[in-house]
Amino acid sequence: MKNWIQQEYENIQSSPLKRNLIKIDKNTTETTINGKKKVLAASNNYLGLATDIRVIQKAKEAIEQYGTGSGGSRLTTGNLPIHGKLEHELAQFKGEDACLLFSSGFLANMGVISSLSDHETIIFSDALNHASIIDACRLSKAKIVIYKHNDMEDLKTKLTQYQTHKKKIIVTDGVFSMDGDLAPLDKLSFLKKKYDALLIVDDAHATGVIGEKGRGSANYFHVDVDVTVGTLSKALGSEGGFVCANKKTIEFLVQKARPFIFQTALAPASVAAALMGLHIIQTEPERQKRLLELGMFIRKSLTKMGYHVPDGITPIIPIIIGDAKEAVDFQQKLDENDIFIPAIRPPTVPDNTSRLRCTLMATHTDEHIDTIIYAFKRLNPPSKGSGNFHF
Ligand SMILES: *Cc1c(COP(=O)(O)O)cnc(C)c1O
């Protein structure tokens, strides 16, 4: 007799949507994947800081000074001086009063969204928000209203519908992780004021990438948002999450956010690495500049070849294929050309919008970019119109 786990696993195994773990040496532009050398165009290590020698050195020093683990939650014995130092510097960087660290960006969303909402709250959430926002909304006791992706008319209609409600929250990714487009924070900021809602922006892919010196999406649009969630795990080259907001909100989170209260404080090495990453982001803006330039170049080149690449400015470049199997086949062909760009399929993205998700790094050389471009040139765009995705 098969139990239900075996039965359900067999269904997954025969599905084109089955996920597989790959073996990767490290997140450098040239790396080894499943034993073969590849050019990597798929990492969130956007500025190359996760493997930067100065960042590594700071992490080592922190281990020597503080040990490998922080030994307790922030509210018990885990609150080391470098936690406060990183929070102070992140708040300054984001132009906010205060900041609070979490063990990951995922948990930062969990902590913030569940703490700031109750059964009287309505959360308006973009249809393409990150899984951690979706799960955080589910965990909260709020009513959840999903608006069409970046559709301000739809959001406005929905806000009007609940106009008399006292507690309203709008939550959005700043840069959408699978589409690489920006949330229109100028319009969102207008609507949130008009309808007296709180605006939470998840800047995981924006921090270090867009805005002046990588300050993120609110800086890019020159607007203020109420709460910014971020991660240390992408451009900052470390691991962990954070929340920036006014002092009162952060103090409130210290009292209320369960992933903050009940979790061991971030490891000293991660904090020290993020501090150095943050320093490099601010003192070497040429990294951000190169990253964005490479992104624009690849976008333009692929579009010219006839690939379906939505407009955008970020280094996250979706190449829309449509059918899941066709996307996997295309990944395979790139793989044969020694390039790793993964196919992203449902449920990560909506049905019929399977895609290759190319991300660039500031450390890609011109030769790497040529290799990528020539491979796409050799492989023709898959049959047009297989997907029904409209931009
Ligand atoms: C990666 C990501 C997260 C999660 O951050 P981690 O630090 O990896 O847990 C949250 N939100 C968005 C939009 C992300 O892309």
Side-chain angles (χ1 to χ4, degrees):
M1 264 295 271
K2 282 178 195 160
N3 71 19
W4 58 269
I5 298 178
Q6 279 171 316
Q7 189 59 53
E8 285 180 25
Y9 180 68
E10 275 171 24
N11 294 341
I12 296 168
Q13 224 173 2
S14 57
S15 153
L17 299 182
K18 180 171 181 278
R19 295 166 185 263
N20 292 304
L21 285 166
I22 60 156
K23 288 196 186 112
I24 184 163
D25 268 15
K26 55 175 157 176
N27 273 236
T28 40
T29 51
E30 284 178 38
T31 190
T32 305
I33 293 177
N34 293 340
K36 291 197 199 116
K37 282 215 143 103
K38 302 282 169 205
V39 171
L40 177 66
S43 179
N44 295 327
N45 179 20
Y46 294 116
L47 302 172
L49 297 180
T51 47
D52 185 284
I53 189 75
R54 297 162 291 177
V55 176
I56 294 168
Q57 185 56 32
K58 286 293 174 190
K60 282 185 184 169
E61 286 171 18
I63 288 176
E64 274 160 20
Q65 185 174 353
Y66 298 105
T68 46
S70 57
S73 83
R74 291 288 294 286
L75 289 166
T76 59
T77 60
N79 191 30
L80 303 169
I82 48 169
H83 289 116
K85 185 166 157 49
L86 178 57
E87 286 171 341
H88 178 76
E89 293 195 11
L90 281 168
Q92 273 197 328
F93 177 66
K94 286 284 188 184
E96 284 283 359
D97 289 348
C99 172
L100 195 64
L101 292 174
F102 284 81
S103 296
S104 72
F106 202 110
L107 287 159
N109 274 327
M110 288 284 169
V112 169
I113 293 170
S114 61
S115 306
L116 297 182
S117 55
D118 58 23
H119 65 281
E120 293 180 326
T121 313
I122 301 191
I123 302 177
F124 299 87
S125 177
D126 188 287
L128 295 189
N129 275 343
H130 188 259
S132 57
I133 296 179
I134 296 171
D135 288 4
C137 288
R138 288 176 182 157
L139 184 70
S140 79
K141 297 187 177 66
K143 178 180 170 64
I144 303 154
V145 175
I146 294 172
Y147 62 91
K148 289 184 200 146
H149 175 53
N150 275 351
D151 187 332
M152 294 300 105
E153 279 310 310
D154 189 40
L155 174 59
K156 198 173 154 185
T157 306
K158 286 171 171 154
L159 281 163
T160 310
Q161 224 174 318
Y162 296 97
Q163 198 151 18
T164 53
H165 253 80
K166 212 173 79 199
K167 298 182 189 169
K168 295 185 279 291
I169 294 176
I170 302 169
V171 61
T172 182
D173 281 15
V175 168
F176 286 86
S177 51
M178 294 301 137
D179 291 75
D181 54 345
L182 304 177
L185 288 193
D186 47 349
K187 299 188 181 89
L188 282 163
S189 164
F190 173 80
L191 286 178
K192 84 120 201 154
K193 281 179 199 144
K194 183 165 178 201
Y195 290 90
D196 192 25
L198 200 72
L199 178 58
I200 302 178
V201 177
D202 178 348
D203 247 0
H205 289 282
T207 304
V209 175
I210 65 163
E212 188 210 347
K213 289 195 178 163
R215 288 194 165 85
S217 52
N219 175 282
Y220 178 85
F221 282 103
H222 304 291
V223 296
D224 289 324
V225 303
D226 298 295
V227 179
T228 306
V229 176
T231 178
L232 308 176
S233 335
K234 289 171 180 154
L236 278 160
S238 179
E239 198 167 304
F242 65 91
V243 178
C244 285
N246 64 36
K247 244 194 169 103
K248 286 262 156 63
T249 305
I250 295 298
E251 279 167 10
F252 182 75
L253 290 176
V254 170
Q255 302 304 318
K256 294 273 285 190
R258 293 167 66 86
F260 175 80
I261 299 168
F262 295 104
Q263 194 157 40
T264 301
L266 212 51
S270 300
V271 181
L275 271 165
M276 191 61 196
L278 188 58
H279 174 75
I280 295 173
I281 284 174
Q282 293 175 90
T283 51
E284 298 177 7
E286 61 274 15
R287 284 173 182 267
Q288 183 200 3
K289 188 163 169 277
R290 176 160 178 88
L291 176 67
L292 295 176
E293 280 170 4
L294 292 182
M296 290 315 282
F297 181 70
I298 293 263
R299 280 174 186 278
K300 260 212 318 245
S301 308
L302 294 187
T303 304
K304 236 162 107 188
M305 288 178 220
Y307 287 96
H308 184 176
V309 179
D311 284 343
I313 62 155
T314 71
I316 301 174
I317 304 164
I319 300 134
I320 309 291
I321 306 287
D323 179 66
K325 187 170 177 310
E326 268 189 65
V328 173
D329 289 347
F330 205 93
Q331 171 182 342
Q332 181 59 32
K333 285 186 202 150
L334 286 167
D335 188 74
E336 287 158 13
N337 283 270
D338 299 327
I339 294 165
F340 184 77
I341 299 178
I344 309 285
R345 300 161 293 168
T348 309
V349 294
D351 282 341
N352 285 317
T353 72
S354 287
R355 66 200 61 190
L356 296 161
R357 178 178 180 270
C358 169
T359 63
L360 298 170
M361 293 165 71
T363 42
H364 275 124
T365 62
D366 292 352
E367 289 71 35
H368 294 141
I369 300 299
D370 283 347
T371 306
I372 295 168
I373 298 268
Y374 284 127
F376 275 99
K377 225 176 227 171
R378 269 197 300 276
L379 307 167
N380 290 318
S383 55
K384 277 221 171 123
S386 58
N388 61 1
F389 207 41
H390 298 290
F391 288 91

